[in-house]
């Protein structure tokens, strides 16, 4: 739950145009979910972070954050979280 709260906090910072605070929250959310083994929450946080990095033109960094997390999944590709991550990855690799 903490990872998801951190991700939501990042969304609030992003809405307030505080990109550095949003990035910190997203990175903390990725780390927290990773420590807990909460792969889906880690994917959500990594997708949020990667989207922020992509919007700043940091596509290589975005890809480095998102690709390894998305690679853990071998099923459930109909889930919206996995579809969002796959769409962002496709955009980053084109």
């Amino acid at each position: 739950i903490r990872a998801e709260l951190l991700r939501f906090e990042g969304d609030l910072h992003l809405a307030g145009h505080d990109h550095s605070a949003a990035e910190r929250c997203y990175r903390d959310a990725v780390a927290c979910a990773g420590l807990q083994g909460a792969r889906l929450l880690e994917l959500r946080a990594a997708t949020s972070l990667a989207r922020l990095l992509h919007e700043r033109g940091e596509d290589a960094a975005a890809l480095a954050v998102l690709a390894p997390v998305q690679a853990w999944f071998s099923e459930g590709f109909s889930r919206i979280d996995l579809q969002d991550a796959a769409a962002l990855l496709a955009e980053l690799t084109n």
Side-chain angles (χ1 to χ4, degrees):
I1 294 176
R2 178 160 168 64
E4 193 70 348
L5 291 174
L6 285 165
R7 189 177 70 83
F8 286 140
E9 185 179 347
D11 290 346
L12 291 173
H13 285 298
L14 192 60
H17 304 288
D18 188 348
H19 292 200
S20 60
E23 181 178 351
R24 279 192 307 276
C25 288
Y26 293 149
R27 288 190 185 279
D28 288 348
V30 170
C32 180
L35 289 172
Q36 295 175 343
R39 298 294 185 217
L40 188 58
L41 296 180
E42 188 172 3
L43 179 70
R44 288 179 186 165
T47 302
S48 294
L49 176 56
R51 188 171 290 116
L52 173 64
L53 294 170
H54 173 57
E55 289 172 3
R56 292 194 323 212
E58 300 176 34
D59 288 355
L63 191 58
V65 166
L66 186 55
V69 178
Q70 194 269 346
W72 288 324
F73 292 88
S74 59
E75 58 185 45
F77 294 106
S78 62
R79 292 188 59 99
I80 191 73
D81 298 311
L82 286 164
Q83 291 174 359
D84 286 348
L88 182 54
L89 281 172
E91 192 173 334
L92 292 169
T93 57
N94 286 332

